Amino acid sequence: MLAGKRVLLLIGGGIAAYKCLELVRRLKERGIGVRAVMTQAAQKFVTPLSVGAITGERVFTDLFDLTAEHDIGHIRLSREADLVVVAPATADLLAKMAHGLADDLATTALLATDKPVLVAPAMNPRMWAHPATRRNMAQLRADGIATIGPNAGAMAERDEFGEGRMAEPAQILAAIEAHFAGADAGSLKGRRILVTSGPTHEPIDPVRYIANRSSGKQGHAIAAAARAAGAQVVLISGPAEVPDPQGVTVIHVESAREMMAAVEENLPVDAAVFAAAVADWRVADASEQKIKKGEGGVPLLQLVENPDILAAVARHPALRPRLVVGFAAETEHVVDHARAKLEKKGCDWIVANDVSPATGIMGGDVNTVHLVSAAGVEDWPSAAKGEVARHLVARIAAALTETA
Ligand code: C5P
């Protein structure tokens, strides 16, 4: 399955660059072709000669080499690969990617590519934690870029410890293998996919609302992954913390009732994934004016049930998608509750996760899920939310093909 695949490896200028030699060796052992591009800074850490000796191909370093050579341009270079891997992805490279800068061969190839991109960040922990890097990473994730690492550990600088070490070659290899095992770039071509994401805000009065801790990271990652797999995607999002994914039609809503209306307006679709954390209840009579303190004591909020969007779509008499996927956020008896929910909601799959505070899943970047269907329960390994999204999308593509 891996043999014959081609990886374009962009080596950035970090102390971890030497680990790329090991990564290339392991990729080659699996029959994966590797073509390498090195930034100028990377060449301070390893030489093009040693990288070329292992890839068995010429190493590219200069944007202008390519035009001089006539045989390969940077567009071709970036498109002949099945996957682009950036390792080590320095803070500088990530910033350039997030902003679409292209001032050398590596960044030009990144901007020119139409292929999936996996980055393995590596930098000093303070640089990794810096708000600018956080912003850039959020943007890259929203753009559908996959990430592996970084790991926590001792840094090259003495006395420095923290998150920022590049993932080990074995981990990067596993991420590459998972990628090739997962969604193919065109596996959802011609399909329409609807995704709900984020929390809902249920108004109490014009300035106050009831909400929950959903960030929208998982739902947005699913929308981005479905887009990367070639689908036409509608994302109906409550007030999420993450930016809109590119190439996706995003409809912003606030309340459960608005979300319900937007979902109905966008049917029919081939598959629908309900990742939003929809509020179960809303305030019966939201006040039109701001409720004043002190008048008539403490206000009593009367709650009423919100429409269940997932159940309504799964039981839709005319427009039920072929595949309806719900999420179940539970804090105990995760799989049992998910099984019960499958029945209750009438959906095909439930993606169940444990959101008790100790797991850090709610709002975090990693997710541990179980896929529950009539066929049984699958326990998936913990993975970045982007990775979980790609696996789910690969499964959706396979299910739609089976039932076509
Ligand atoms: O019942 P519970 O809220 O645990 O179900 C979670 C699943 O149902 C999620 O997929 C969520 O998006 C969906 N849901 C919905 N509308 C609601 C409540 C939940 O679509 N009002």
Side-chain angles (χ1 to χ4, degrees):
M1 187 178 61
L2 296 177
K5 296 281 186 203
R6 296 201 56 91
V7 164
L8 178 69
L9 176 65
L10 306 181
I11 307 178
I15 189 88
Y18 76 92
K19 290 188 186 172
C20 284
L21 300 176
E22 168 78 4
L23 175 64
V24 172
R25 195 178 59 72
R26 291 189 181 214
L27 288 168
K28 299 279 294 180
E29 276 172 7
R30 282 158 181 76
I32 299 176
V34 185
R35 192 173 261 167
V37 168
M38 298 179 71
T39 64
Q40 248 188 341
Q43 296 168 58
K44 307 269 185 214
F45 295 94
V46 277
T47 65
L49 200 63
S50 47
V51 174
I54 303 183
T55 61
E57 293 195 33
R58 184 179 155 199
V59 173
F60 298 90
T61 53
D62 191 347
L63 192 51
F64 300 101
D65 281 357
L66 298 178
T67 40
E69 281 221 349
H70 296 299
D71 62 339
I72 187 163
H74 58 269
I75 307 277
R76 247 183 78 193
L77 186 66
S78 65
R79 293 194 178 171
E80 279 179 357
D82 299 301
L83 173 71
V84 180
V85 177
V86 188
T90 59
D92 179 65
L93 261 177
L94 293 170
K96 283 178 172 157
M97 286 174 76
H99 293 274
L101 297 184
D103 62 354
D104 65 0
L105 181 55
T107 49
T108 307
L110 280 163
L111 202 59
T113 195
D114 57 353
K115 295 295 157 48
V117 179
L118 170 72
V119 297
M123 67 198 72
N124 172 278
R126 288 199 193 148
M127 293 168 77
W128 178 246
H130 194 282
T133 306
R134 305 283 86 229
R135 266 198 314 275
N136 293 334
M137 287 306 299
Q139 183 60 57
L140 292 174
R141 281 193 197 100
D143 292 349
I145 303 249
T147 314
I148 174 76
N151 295 337
M155 303 304 293
E157 297 91 342
R158 237 183 292 157
D159 302 333
E160 285 266 19
F161 190 90
E163 209 171 306
R165 275 173 72 96
M166 188 172 83
E168 293 304 322
Q171 289 175 292
I172 302 175
L173 182 71
I176 294 172
E177 286 178 337
H179 169 81
F180 285 132
D184 270 343
S187 60
L188 281 178
K189 202 158 187 281
R191 309 285 194 198
R192 248 174 83 81
I193 308 287
L194 181 145
V195 182
T196 70
S197 182
T200 62
H201 285 183
E202 306 299 332
I204 296 170
D205 67 19
V207 297
R208 304 181 179 98
Y209 55 84
I210 299 174
N212 61 63
R213 295 187 197 280
S214 167
S215 63
K217 284 180 183 170
Q218 186 63 81
H220 279 52
I222 292 166
R227 169 77 197 115
Q232 191 193 337
V233 182
V234 186
L235 171 65
I236 297 167
S237 174
E241 281 170 22
V242 283
D244 292 350
Q246 270 186 1
V248 166
T249 305
V250 188
I251 299 168
H252 295 275
V253 297
E254 296 261 330
S255 67
R257 285 192 293 178
E258 286 169 18
M259 188 174 275
M260 178 85 222
V263 167
E264 279 183 328
E265 266 167 39
N266 283 281
L267 296 177
V269 293
D270 294 291
V273 181
F274 295 89
V278 183
D280 290 318
W281 308 282
R282 67 175 184 276
V283 177
D285 296 302
S287 169
E288 303 229 328
Q289 305 301 329
K290 186 180 167 194
I291 302 171
K292 291 292 204 196
K293 199 158 100 178
E295 290 168 8
V298 177
L300 271 182
L301 297 180
Q302 172 71 46
L303 301 180
V304 290
E305 206 158 315
N306 264 329
D308 191 317
I309 306 168
L310 168 61
V313 171
R315 301 192 192 286
H316 200 291
L319 298 175
R320 186 193 197 274
R322 263 195 287 149
L323 186 68
V324 178
V325 184
F327 268 69
E330 304 287 352
T331 53
E332 56 178 5
H333 309 302
V334 176
V335 169
D336 288 345
H337 283 165
R339 278 210 188 89
K341 202 159 287 180
L342 203 59
E343 294 275 309
K344 197 175 116 206
K345 306 260 186 177
C347 57
D348 302 298
W349 300 347
I350 286 276
V351 181
N353 51 12
D354 184 347
V355 292
S356 39
T359 64
I361 285 175
M362 206 98 173
D365 290 325
V366 170
N367 208 351
T368 312
V369 307
H370 315 272
L371 184 67
V372 183
S373 69
V377 179
E378 289 174 31
D379 303 315
W380 290 7
S382 294
K385 287 182 174 173
E387 204 56 51
V388 171
R390 274 188 294 282
H391 276 287
L392 186 64
V393 162
R395 296 297 295 268
I396 291 171
L400 288 179
T401 309
E402 276 167 25
T403 61

